[in-house]
Structures are given as C-alpha cells and as structure tokens.
Amino acid sequence: MNDALRTALTRLRLSGLAHSLDVRLAEASGNRLGHAEFLELVLQDELLVRNDRLIGRRTKAAGFREQKTLEDFDWQFNPSIKRKIIFDLAAGRFLREARDVLLLGPPGTGKSHLAQAIGHAVIKAGATVLYRSIFDLVRDFLGDEAVSGHEKTLDRYLRPELVIIDDMGMKQLPKRSGEYLFEIIMRRYQVRATMMTSNRPLEDWGKLIGDVPAATAILDRFLHNAEVINITGRSYRLRDHAAKPEATQKKKPEPACEPVAK
C-alpha cells in the first residue's frame, strides 16, 4: 500500500480497510478475484471493525460491574437453572416485546452473573443496555436531584432498550427510593424491557423500600408481563469453602516426642 492510499484511507476513517488491505490485495492477486469480489471483502473488513468498536462503546456505556458471559457460567453447579430459558432471553426477543424479567433466588446463586451475561449478549446483537445496582440507581437520583438534574437522570434510565437493576434486597433502601424506582418501572412499562434481580421474596419489597403502596404499584406493573425465574441452590461463591472444610479448621498440635531412655 502506497503512502497516498494510506493517507486517503486515514482521512476517510477507514481503519479496518487500511489494516487488512495488504492481505486482501495479496489474496486478490493469488486467487484472481474480480473487482466486485475484492471490494466486498475489504468493505466487510471495515464493517467488522466498526461493529467491534460499537460493541465496545456500548459495553462501556452499560457500566457492567464485571465482564460476565453465558459461556463462563457454571451450569452444573445449580442445575435448577433452565438453560433454554436463559439462552432465549439472551437471543433478545423479550426486548422486542418490551417484556420484563425478574431473577429471584438466594445470594450467590448466579443472578448477577446471568443478568450481566444476558446484557452482554443483547449488546452484541445490537441493543443498548444500562446496568445499575439498586443502590447506584438511588444515588443517581439523590445526587442529581440536588442539582436539579432529575429529568436528565430519568432520561438516562428511559433511553436504553434494556435496563438491568441488580441487588434488590441486599439491604433496606433510603427514603424516596420507592418513588424513583416506581417512576422508572412505570415509564418503561410496555415500552422498554427491564430486568431485575432480588434475593428477597416479593412480599418483603414493601419493607425494603419503606413504602408498601409504592412496592405494590411497582410489582403490579413490573410483573404484569414479566418472565419470573426462580433460582435455588447453594452459593456459587462459597463452593470452594464447602468443598474443603478441613482448610478452615485449625490443626491440632502434634504431641511432643518422648525422650528416649538411655
């Protein structure tokens, strides 16, 4: 590739094409590709690079806590999880139908991993996602409300095709949390998909929020057209501890050797 061509590709921001052009030129020469075939190949290279960048930007904007995928999930540890249902969600149909999803189960059983993995999967399929813990959500609204930024914060939660609200039930929430959560659920209801995880039964949500009427209104809308997935089993994070109980026990001191009689 000559300097003039490299400069032109840079000015046109065709970095994907520029990166692969020498290889494609050699391929075209060796296989006697026609002009149209060659052009198709180099344009596909450019599109792939741009798609990878788009996925990277959307993944960063989603704000995931960890880079989790379905491929690295241990399906054998908690066999109660129905793999087909999870992969159906990862295919993204529930986004197009604006349905909600609730993952219920004890701490450590894989809810956050699955929620983030589904989020990654739908981003790869072209969707926009926002991931926040319930505590981050409340802090977002409390912080921006102090500087009259409520509408800006609300817009951040309304625009994405999927909003994932994690960790519901870890501890009691501050005052007005129910108002913020209700507004998000109400405004996204039957318009955009919302996914939540919780380690507490639904009847406890009123206590967690500190507002039983708000919790009732939230659940009324959220559960109307929701996929509820109950996950049971042991904590994944404690599996190594359970497998090696002897490692946590103090070894008894060995008895001192008796002196040898002369």
Side-chain angles (χ1 to χ4, degrees):
M1 186 194 318
N2 59 50
D3 291 341
L5 180 55
R6 190 184 304 278
T7 300
L9 293 175
T10 300
R11 292 182 63 185
L12 291 169
R13 299 181 180 180
L14 297 172
S15 59
L17 193 156
H19 181 73
S20 65
L21 186 56
D22 287 334
V23 174
R24 293 305 190 189
L25 285 168
E27 183 181 0
S29 176
N31 295 300
R32 298 182 179 181
L33 297 179
H35 294 90
E37 293 176 296
F38 172 74
L39 182 60
E40 182 182 355
L41 286 173
V42 294
L43 290 179
Q44 285 178 349
D45 292 337
E46 179 63 32
L47 289 173
L48 285 172
V49 168
R50 293 191 179 196
N51 186 61
D52 287 345
R53 287 176 179 167
L54 178 62
I55 291 173
R57 289 196 300 270
R58 288 184 173 178
T59 300
K60 183 178 180 180
F64 294 115
R65 184 187 304 160
E66 300 169 291
Q67 299 297 312
K68 296 294 188 181
T69 67
L70 294 179
E71 288 71 27
D72 59 26
F73 187 75
D74 187 353
W75 299 96
Q76 302 301 318
F77 186 76
N78 280 335
S80 67
I81 302 172
K82 293 180 171 55
R83 190 181 304 196
K84 183 181 183 303
I85 293 176
I86 301 301
F87 277 93
D88 283 347
L89 292 172
R93 182 178 175 182
F94 77 106
L95 298 184
R96 296 185 291 274
E97 297 174 348
R99 290 190 294 111
D100 298 326
V101 178
L102 176 61
L103 301 174
L104 276 175
T109 50
K111 302 182 300 299
S112 293
H113 185 140
L114 291 174
Q116 292 179 89
I118 291 168
H120 276 292
V122 298
I123 284 176
K124 289 182 179 179
T128 53
V129 175
L130 175 64
Y131 169 88
R132 302 295 280 164
S133 76
I134 186 64
F135 313 110
D136 292 330
L137 182 154
V138 174
R139 280 193 291 265
D140 288 343
F141 278 90
L142 287 174
D144 282 351
E145 197 168 81
V147 293
S148 301
H150 180 83
E151 290 302 321
K152 181 180 178 181
T153 302
L154 182 61
D155 183 63
R156 183 188 180 195
Y157 281 85
L158 298 181
R159 279 188 287 107
E161 292 164 87
L162 174 63
V163 165
I164 301 172
I165 302 172
D166 202 1
D167 296 329
M168 185 68 179
M170 293 297 290
K171 60 181 180 180
Q172 191 167 3
L173 297 169
K175 291 181 179 180
R176 300 197 64 189
S177 299
E179 296 177 32
Y180 304 137
L181 183 57
F182 174 70
E183 188 166 13
I184 292 169
I185 297 299
M186 179 186 68
R187 297 279 291 272
R188 293 183 62 86
Y189 175 60
Q190 295 187 328
V191 177
R192 292 273 194 266
T194 304
M195 178 180 293
M196 295 185 69
T197 75
S198 177
N199 58 34
R200 296 282 290 275
L202 300 180
E203 55 266 26
D204 287 355
W205 281 31
K207 295 178 182 178
L208 292 169
I209 295 173
D211 187 336
V212 174
T216 302
I218 289 166
L219 291 172
D220 179 64
R221 284 166 175 78
F222 185 68
L223 297 178
H224 174 239
N225 193 29
E227 178 89 48
V228 179
I229 301 171
N230 287 288
I231 300 175
T232 59
R234 298 168 293 160
S235 170
Y236 185 78
R237 287 187 289 270
L238 295 178
R239 68 194 186 283
D240 294 332
H241 177 81
K244 299 178 180 179
E246 68 277 3
T248 62
Q249 297 176 359
K250 293 183 179 180
K251 291 183 178 181
K252 294 180 179 180
E254 295 180 2
C257 296
E258 294 289 334
V260 179
K262 294 182 178 178

